[in-house]
Amino acid sequence: MQKSTITMTGAEPFFFPSGKVGCLLVHGLTGTPKEMRWMGEYLHQRGISVMGIRLAGHATDPADLPRTRWRDWLASVEDGFHLLSGACEQIFLAGLSLGGALSLYAASYLPAQGVISISAPYQLPPDWRLNFIHLIKHLQPRVPKGPPDWHNPQAAADHLEYPDYPTASIAELRDLLAELRQILPHVNLPALIVHSRADQGVSPENAIKILNALGSPQKEILWVENSGHVVVREPDRQMVFERVCRFIQSHTPSE
């Protein structure tokens, strides 16, 4: 079966050119570039070029995602970085959830100025089934999502995502996070970690573990209170956008 090439309406990648400082925006697992669009619009209005990429297997058809591997998702980040580098001299990596984990991983080797991780996991919750997930994925191809933790009903109503998690993709996420834990001490870029204390999708302790594991001498954490997992579309988003903008500006070399 061929992969779908039709992007979901409203879930298209975006590029808003502005100055020579750019930010690559990476969405989460089963999500779409739309998750990052409000943040992109905010940064663009403040003179920062932004590109919101579509991860491989996402924003098309749910059947496409189980065929992809975590290195395919990472390749999407690399492609976006190289595209954005054609318009920008300094680039920051910023991602939500899986996108945050991919951004942190990519920050270990791409020539970026800094990295912003939002609602990112450090590891999956303990579950004995993870030890057998490469077998389980053949018996149970998909896993239902848990109860939503939205604080913004309007954003929840028009959120675009796949309806469930492919078990194969959970296996890939587990493998990615195992690699990420090994590589975080080698990430020495300035880093901003953002997490909601009310996140029911990725527990807040993940943010602390990421912060402690990072090798960067310049790292900080921003806690928000009135948001669920998708912080960038929640009531605290303005605070997050402002801090991200200040972070980018403070780590941009002056001319």
Side-chain angles (χ1 to χ4, degrees):
M1 182 182 294
Q2 288 186 326
K3 293 184 179 181
S4 173
T5 58
I6 301 175
T7 303
M8 297 162 58
T9 301
E12 299 83 4
F14 56 87
F15 174 47
F16 305 145
S18 187
K20 291 297 184 180
V21 176
C23 187
L24 188 71
L25 302 177
V26 189
H27 63 80
L29 183 63
T30 75
T32 74
K34 181 178 181 179
E35 293 175 344
M36 308 302 293
R37 194 176 184 97
W38 285 348
M39 181 168 157
E41 291 171 349
Y42 180 95
L43 296 176
H44 176 245
Q45 290 168 3
R46 283 147 187 82
I48 299 169
S49 296
V50 294
M51 177 175 287
I53 65 168
R54 180 182 68 83
L55 294 175
H58 289 76
T60 51
D61 184 281
D64 293 335
L65 186 52
R67 302 188 186 104
T68 60
R69 302 294 176 259
W70 72 264
R71 291 193 181 277
D72 298 323
W73 306 335
L74 185 63
S76 299
V77 176
E78 294 173 354
D79 288 346
F81 185 91
H82 294 309
L83 282 171
L84 190 54
S85 66
C88 299
E89 296 174 357
Q90 293 97 33
I91 298 176
F92 290 78
L93 300 164
L96 170 74
S97 195
L98 166 63
L102 290 168
S103 296
L104 288 166
Y105 191 99
S108 69
Y109 63 92
L110 290 178
Q113 294 294 126
V115 58
I116 300 112
S117 169
I118 304 171
S119 306
Y122 178 81
Q123 59 193 126
L124 295 179
D127 190 323
W128 65 269
R129 291 171 295 182
L130 289 173
N131 296 323
F132 307 98
I133 196 163
H134 285 291
L135 296 175
I136 293 174
K137 68 183 181 183
H138 299 293
L139 303 174
Q140 184 181 358
R142 298 190 174 275
V143 177
K145 295 185 175 182
D149 65 352
W150 287 95
H151 290 223
N152 181 357
Q154 180 183 359
D158 70 353
H159 189 60
L160 293 176
E161 62 180 354
Y162 292 156
D164 47 30
Y165 292 114
T167 310
S169 298
I170 296 176
E172 292 301 317
L173 177 59
R174 182 203 62 174
D175 294 348
L176 165 63
L177 296 181
E179 295 288 336
L180 179 63
R181 291 191 294 274
Q182 296 297 315
I183 212 165
L184 279 174
H186 304 289
V187 177
N188 54 23
L189 297 178
L192 172 64
I193 309 301
V194 180
H195 216 102
S196 172
R197 296 189 190 275
D199 190 335
Q200 296 179 25
V202 176
S203 65
E205 66 182 16
N206 284 269
I208 298 172
K209 290 179 178 180
I210 289 173
L211 187 76
N212 291 338
L214 276 167
S216 172
Q218 301 178 71
K219 52 186 177 180
E220 54 187 299
I221 191 165
L222 169 65
W223 292 108
V224 297
E225 308 288 340
N226 187 26
S227 294
H229 181 62
V230 188
V231 171
V232 289
R233 287 175 56 80
E234 290 280 57
D236 291 318
R237 63 183 181 274
Q238 193 73 15
M239 180 197 316
V240 172
F241 297 168
E242 290 172 359
R243 177 66 76 86
V244 168
C245 187
R246 291 201 307 271
F247 174 82
I248 290 174
Q249 292 170 342
S250 67
H251 293 288
T252 300
S254 58
E255 296 182 359

